[in-house]
Amino acid sequence: MTQRGTLGVAVVGTGKMGADHVRRIDGVTSGARVAAVVDLDTARAERLADGIDGCTAYTDPDAAMAADDVDAVLIASPGPAHEAALLTAFEHDLPVLCEKPLTPDAASALRVMEAEQKLGHRRVQVGFMRRYDAEYMRLKELLDSGRLGRPLMLHNRHRNATLPVPGFTSEMLINDAVVHEMDITRWLLDQEITAVTVMKPRPSSNAPEGLQDPQFVIFETDGGAVVDVEMNVNCRFGYQVQAEAVCENGTARIGDAHGMLVNSAGQWGGSIAPDFVARFEDAYDREVQAWVDATRRGEVTGPSVWDGYAAAAVCETGVTALTEGGRREVKMIDRPELYRS
Amino acid sequence: MTQRGTLGVAVVGTGKMGADHVRRIDGVTSGARVAAVVDLDTARAERLADGIDGCTAYTDPDAAMAADDVDAVLIASPGPAHEAALLTAFEHDLPVLCEKPLTPDAASALRVMEAEQKLGHRRVQVGFMRRYDAEYMRLKELLDSGRLGRPLMLHNRHRNATLPVPGFTSEMLINDAVVHEMDITRWLLDQEITAVTVMKPRPSSNAPEGLQDPQFVIFETDGGAVVDVEMNVNCRFGYQVQAEAVCENGTARIGDAHGMLVNSAGQWGGSIAPDFVARFEDAYDREVQAWVDATRRGEVTGPSVWDGYAAAAVCETGVTALTEGGRREVKMIDRPELYRS
Amino acid sequence: MTQRGTLGVAVVGTGKMGADHVRRIDGVTSGARVAAVVDLDTARAERLADGIDGCTAYTDPDAAMAADDVDAVLIASPGPAHEAALLTAFEHDLPVLCEKPLTPDAASALRVMEAEQKLGHRRVQVGFMRRYDAEYMRLKELLDSGRLGRPLMLHNRHRNATLPVPGFTSEMLINDAVVHEMDITRWLLDQEITAVTVMKPRPSSNAPEGLQDPQFVIFETDGGAVVDVEMNVNCRFGYQVQAEAVCENGTARIGDAHGMLVNSAGQWGGSIAPDFVARFEDAYDREVQAWVDATRRGEVTGPSVWDGYAAAAVCETGVTALTEGGRREVKMIDRPELYRS
Amino acid sequence: MTQRGTLGVAVVGTGKMGADHVRRIDGVTSGARVAAVVDLDTARAERLADGIDGCTAYTDPDAAMAADDVDAVLIASPGPAHEAALLTAFEHDLPVLCEKPLTPDAASALRVMEAEQKLGHRRVQVGFMRRYDAEYMRLKELLDSGRLGRPLMLHNRHRNATLPVPGFTSEMLINDAVVHEMDITRWLLDQEITAVTVMKPRPSSNAPEGLQDPQFVIFETDGGAVVDVEMNVNCRFGYQVQAEAVCENGTARIGDAHGMLVNSAGQWGGSIAPDFVARFEDAYDREVQAWVDATRRGEVTGPSVWDGYAAAAVCETGVTALTEGGRREVKMIDRPELYRS
């Protein structure tokens, strides 16, 4: 791959998310093409490959990564398959965009982190796509400017109209949903989360029997900030993600999404996004473009394996706080040299 | 009446508006009481008077104004009866709050103005209550501060859910509704209106056959400002009054009324006031209180007979512009000494 | 006092708050007059009384309450003087509007509650004026309507530009400021607070050395709701009070206060109220008018002695949570018969 | 060019706008590459071409369009050069994205339209990029849905902080700025503009001597709508484009751009875009991508030569209305068959 050439990407996993990335790289992203699709379901992979010039279907990730026209890997398989795919990519020394979670738990994330350190350079960007949302980027820019002083608190709202998938459990609220706020908190504040408390309102009657929904989660950080998350997966009215940073000399709020205002039938207002695709589609586009652009420049940017590990460690603490109650401290290893900038 | 005594008010006309003022003076306004109610419908007047300590019912306005316990007059009878009531009040030299319109046309308004000049001092406050609306007051204050520079344009929206009364005519849109924007334009800008143009969109299918609704009315002023009014009496979604002043260095908009924001059923937003009572109730309260307070101090403030005359003159021009088309210039007498401040 | 007569009010305490109530009853409130002002500082009381027809200055509350022209009492003296003044009012069986706090602690509040029960009927309205704020009233109405389902969470923001008074302590953040959210939470949700946790962000550099500001306070209620309060007394940018109720099927937010929108110098937006007077002046007016109206009808409405006691009990718990850390349960007596509706 | 191949684009004109399109096609747009850049300034063209793999610099548009690797043309040269470049592209039968204006006047636009008709199929997309702005697209979708009923009025605001270029004339306000509202009005309403009136507020003291700024322009359409445009090129506070469609049963407003809300220093609000690049960058990206996508599918979509001609005809009428006053009717030929869908 020369810097200016078109990046040949192998997409590993062609479920809902993988197929969407295939469509994106084929028709939206500049400077990249889908060179390979990999899925255990051969027929599915071949169907996808058929529609794209010069795209080959594979069942084995290793074979795809060994192909001459593959310059980079996008991992979108189920979480438990990530570790193996990442290690294979490391063997081929290929740049990787790995969908979140990096791996399902802190121990496996540690193993991936060790492997990348052995490689000696960063290869992985983890798919925390909120960092590429235009509003979060503006908020980050404002906080980094120091114009409002030091951040003291961060209030987050994360609302889904209905259960993301049937059978969603109380732990999945932490692992699959609150995890976004864990990462965004660490990124916005540039601080690590040191303790987690989970408050449990009496569940909504919209929630299935036995599901602790909503949850009100509180993080403490090593910079002394207190962060709260309203996590809600049955709010019925739509998908809504909001954040307000409270700083010493001002506050900033994003997520009201008041683009078009309509007056009709006794109401002023507008519509709420139905789901995370509608809300964050631009962020996904921007994330993949940023990865392609950096890769073509020979760089690795964005969320690192360290960020994937930290999310996993905080999630494990969060689940303990949820199930056992009280305030729980987060245990993490020291940040390795490779992940300090 | 001593300055600190309670003001005894005679309310002339006890229809919807008059009865509402009786209720207001009895239970909301400080420093005043309803001493008399006057209506040709004796039974109606007596029913009202019965509920209020020390209140007498009259049929004849002159008798009421002659009563010892009447210190001031509030005229809320139909427009055609205003001239006579005002002249009677002048005979008794009583302070008056006269509901709009001052009188139904410019000629009669001129006669009232001459009579007040003969009296030698201002006695009348005209009921242009929008000047007492908290948001218009803030806008006026901002414009007067000069912070945004000279006003160049003023955009107004005036929307009713449905016809204010059955049988509302195209001319009544000008005389009963746009008249508010005429007065508020003159007050906000402190300029006179010199020309009127009425644009006629193809009528809404919500409008009854033959009614020119909506209308888009354009004023030019002697200060060089251009002012537009969207006038709409069948907008269906509620009652909404908005204004945006465009100045040399900024703009200011009022009327969005975004007090409480609700997320529900796929929508963010809030409710729109159903009618002018809901929208302007506070303005009415403030208007009457301001009149009572000024009267107790021995002063006359607020919109004057000159303002009532100007509104009538501009309305007449507006009706000509509506019926004959094109741009029409406003003819007015020079402002008499008494009405210059 | 007949129902329709003008209510003669004795105002006890003529400091900043008392003097403001004197001005209000004299010039804003309908149906009441200031019959007496009471202050240990005789000169001060006489100065105030001089400006008002028929108003007498007193040093002794008992003398004022015994006067023939005194029908009701407004207590605005310092908190520690409230208990004695309330008991005196009970002896005269006079209706009372008592500024918050009812008394400085739960024990004294209990004594007042016992005295009122002995009297056999409610006499006291406690000055939790937020219940009379137009936006909180709309929010309460919406919650009571059930349209959004059961409330699950309540997010509150309470921000002051600077310390309300010099020497403000960490405990005073709870007792003087968060106390408003305690009452408004109980009122909005119609639930009792059962536990308090205080999170302590690293203090703002705007806060004086040693002051824990901001604080992030969490209430749990007997209805299973989780309520958070951002309490901030050095936010610099203005005075701001916001609340968002999160219900099963929707949320409702108040306090954005977006009345007039200005575009200027690279910014859209509007001004933030400088202090609680600007924000809540209308609420004070409405509170006193509601008290006068109810009193003239022979009724006692609004926040009761029970509400004053509950606030004191929750405050005591809050101070413990602040100073000792962790989650603290609230201890309260059972609600006496008199205070059940 | 096969449907799935990468589109080789020749960019004609490499001034500010042309260079920006080169950057866009090189690094943002998917499925296209810059195959040629054309400029009379050879050095400038070569500098640009040097940075891009497989890109050739030309001085002569005809030579570039004849090149084997050129599949499509983007014209970004000055307006007077458009006609010749378009006719050359027609000779090569190449798809064209032509920056606005199509040509400088209605007569030359007619000639282009005749040439394209002779070709027998549409080849040109005109660069009215507002049609690709996300908010305008949502507004169009809402209007087309019929949910609010027929559009009656359209209120537009178009504000620039300062003169776009030095020496901007009163006519250029119409031709270079209001032209956007002309096109967007025709597109949103799917109606032709039949008359133009230009109201002239007393100029802002921010405007250079002799410039009629602001202007308040009124369109009438063949569907009976009345449309107003506030055009302002010295508003000082930023770049702002807003539109409110007033329909029979509701209104819809875009352009408030309230993405991030900041509280600081006595103000709530946010920042206003400094210029049209910041406001419409996404629209440009989307416009070029839409053109590339359609071209690869062998289609021509978007604003047509007819739209370019209509804008020119309305602009000419607007300039007459500006210089001669009064209401002026628009003269246009009948819509040719090729431009009816």
Side-chain angles (χ1 to χ4, degrees), chain B residues 4 26 250-251 253 261 263, chain C residues 4 26 29 250-251 253 261 263:
Chain B
R4 305 216 53 90
D26 188 43
T251 83
R253 186 173 75 201
L261 189 143
N263 289 312
Chain C
R4 305 215 53 91
D26 189 41
T29 313
T251 83
R253 186 173 76 201
L261 188 143
N263 289 310

Side-chain angles (χ1 to χ4, degrees), chain B residues 164-187:
Chain B
V165 291
F168 213 69
T169 65
S170 301
E171 288 75 15
M172 290 166 81
L173 258 82
I174 302 285
N175 286 327
D176 289 6
V178 177
V179 64
H180 283 291
E181 272 74 21
M182 290 169 178
D183 183 66
I184 216 73
T185 293
R186 298 178 60 251
W187 178 68

Side-chain angles (χ1 to χ4, degrees), chain A residues 2 4-5 24-32 51-53 135 138-139 142 147-148 244 249-265 270-271 282 286 289 293 296, chain D residues 2 4-5 24-32 51-53 135 138-139 142 147-148 244 249-265 270-271 282 286 289 293 296:
Chain A
T2 72
R4 303 215 55 88
R24 178 172 291 111
I25 294 173
D26 188 43
V28 179
T29 313
S30 172
I52 299 170
D53 269 13
E135 295 195 359
R138 289 184 63 190
L139 180 55
L142 179 65
R147 196 159 71 78
L148 299 185
E244 181 173 31
N249 302 316
T251 83
R253 185 172 76 201
I254 60 169
D256 281 328
H258 293 174
M260 179 166 71
L261 189 144
V262 176
N263 289 310
S264 69
S271 56
D282 285 351
R286 213 176 272 115
Q289 188 69 61
D293 290 350
R296 293 174 79 197
Chain D
T2 72
R4 303 216 55 91
R24 179 172 290 112
I25 294 172
D26 189 41
V28 179
T29 313
S30 172
I52 300 169
D53 267 14
E135 295 195 359
R138 288 183 64 192
L139 180 54
L142 179 65
R147 196 160 70 79
L148 299 184
E244 181 174 31
N249 302 316
T251 84
R253 185 172 76 201
I254 60 169
D256 281 329
H258 293 173
M260 179 165 71
L261 190 144
V262 177
N263 289 312
S264 71
S271 57
D282 285 350
R286 212 175 275 117
Q289 189 69 61
D293 291 350
R296 292 174 81 198

Side-chain angles (χ1 to χ4, degrees), chain B residues 34-338:
Chain B
V34 185
V37 290
V38 185
D39 208 298
L40 290 177
D41 180 340
T42 321
R44 183 173 171 83
E46 283 175 353
R47 260 198 318 275
L48 261 178
D50 272 1
I52 300 168
D53 268 14
C55 176
T56 311
Y58 295 86
T59 313
D60 174 17
D62 186 63
M65 297 189 207
D68 270 0
D69 61 350
V70 167
D71 305 306
V73 182
L74 192 161
I75 299 177
S77 48
H82 286 191
E83 183 178 358
L86 284 160
L87 297 179
T88 304
F90 289 168
E91 281 168 28
H92 295 279
D93 201 17
L94 288 176
V96 182
L97 174 56
C98 180
E99 263 304 326
K100 62 128 233 172
L102 177 68
T103 63
D105 53 48
S108 51
L110 261 181
R111 288 194 297 269
V112 170
M113 188 154 54
E114 277 154 20
E116 195 182 40
Q117 286 179 83
K118 206 167 291 172
L119 209 60
H121 47 247
R122 281 192 54 193
R123 270 307 188 200
V124 182
Q125 173 177 330
V126 180
F128 289 120
M129 90 295 174
R130 279 208 200 161
R131 300 191 186 191
Y132 297 91
D133 174 65
E135 295 197 359
Y136 274 111
M137 290 167 75
R138 290 184 63 193
L139 180 55
K140 170 76 169 160
E141 191 182 307
L142 179 65
L143 294 182
D144 286 354
S145 77
R147 196 159 71 78
L148 299 185
R150 178 166 51 86
L152 305 169
M153 285 173 282
L154 183 63
H155 307 305
N156 302 281
R157 313 280 161 256
H158 186 158
R159 296 158 178 165
N160 291 262
T162 52
L163 285 193
V165 291
F168 213 69
T169 65
S170 301
E171 288 75 15
M172 290 166 81
L173 258 82
I174 302 285
N175 286 327
D176 289 6
V178 177
V179 64
H180 283 291
E181 272 74 21
M182 290 169 178
D183 183 66
I184 216 73
T185 293
R186 298 178 60 251
W187 178 68
L188 282 177
L189 303 184
D190 205 11
Q191 298 174 13
E192 294 295 347
I193 294 170
T194 54
V196 183
T197 307
V198 179
M199 309 292 297
K200 304 179 199 172
R202 188 177 137 207
S204 166
S205 58
N206 292 328
E209 184 70 28
L211 185 71
Q212 179 55 54
D213 174 47
Q215 298 178 15
F216 189 70
V217 183
I218 301 156
F219 306 141
E220 297 163 61
T221 74
D222 60 5
V226 171
V227 177
D228 58 284
V229 180
E230 176 202 322
M231 188 66 239
N232 208 319
V233 294
N234 285 286
C235 81
R236 289 298 178 264
F237 59 77
Y239 183 83
Q240 196 173 53
V241 169
Q242 303 183 324
E244 181 174 30
V246 180
C247 303
E248 291 177 318
N249 302 316
T251 83
R253 186 173 75 201
I254 60 170
D256 280 328
H258 294 174
M260 179 165 71
L261 189 143
V262 177
N263 289 312
S264 71
Q267 297 280 328
W268 58 265
S271 56
I272 300 176
D275 54 29
F276 77 95
V277 177
R279 171 69 175 84
F280 285 117
E281 186 172 22
D282 285 350
Y284 281 110
D285 290 353
R286 212 175 275 115
E287 174 196 46
V288 172
Q289 188 69 60
W291 175 64
V292 166
D293 290 350
T295 301
R296 293 174 80 198
R297 291 192 311 267
E299 298 173 11
V300 179
T301 59
S304 69
V305 168
W306 171 257
D307 295 312
Y309 161 73
V314 178
C315 275
E316 287 184 6
T317 312
V319 169
T320 305
L322 170 71
T323 51
E324 302 183 10
R327 174 181 180 275
R328 299 287 156 168
E329 299 197 354
V330 177
K331 308 269 181 289
M332 283 172 58
I333 66 162
D334 284 345
R335 190 169 186 143
E337 185 57 38
L338 184 61

Side-chain angles (χ1 to χ4, degrees), chain A residues 152-174:
Chain A
L152 306 168
M153 286 173 280
L154 183 63
H155 307 306
N156 302 280
R157 313 282 162 256
H158 187 159
R159 295 158 179 166
N160 292 261
T162 52
L163 283 193
V165 291
F168 212 70
T169 65
S170 301
E171 288 76 13
M172 290 166 82
L173 259 80
I174 302 284

Side-chain angles (χ1 to χ4, degrees), chain C residues 151-208:
Chain C
L152 305 168
M153 286 174 279
L154 183 63
H155 307 305
N156 302 281
R157 315 281 162 255
H158 187 160
R159 297 159 177 165
N160 291 261
T162 53
L163 284 192
V165 292
F168 212 71
T169 65
S170 301
E171 288 76 13
M172 290 166 82
L173 259 81
I174 302 284
N175 286 327
D176 289 6
V178 178
V179 64
H180 284 290
E181 271 74 21
M182 292 168 175
D183 182 66
I184 216 72
T185 293
R186 298 179 59 255
W187 179 68
L188 282 177
L189 303 185
D190 205 11
Q191 297 175 13
E192 294 295 348
I193 294 170
T194 54
V196 184
T197 308
V198 179
M199 309 292 297
K200 305 179 197 172
R202 187 176 137 209
S204 167
S205 59
N206 293 328

Side-chain angles (χ1 to χ4, degrees), chain C residues 122 304 306 334-341:
Chain C
R122 282 192 53 193
S304 69
W306 171 257
D334 284 344
R335 191 168 186 143
E337 184 59 36
L338 184 61
Y339 304 105
R340 294 179 197 160
S341 52

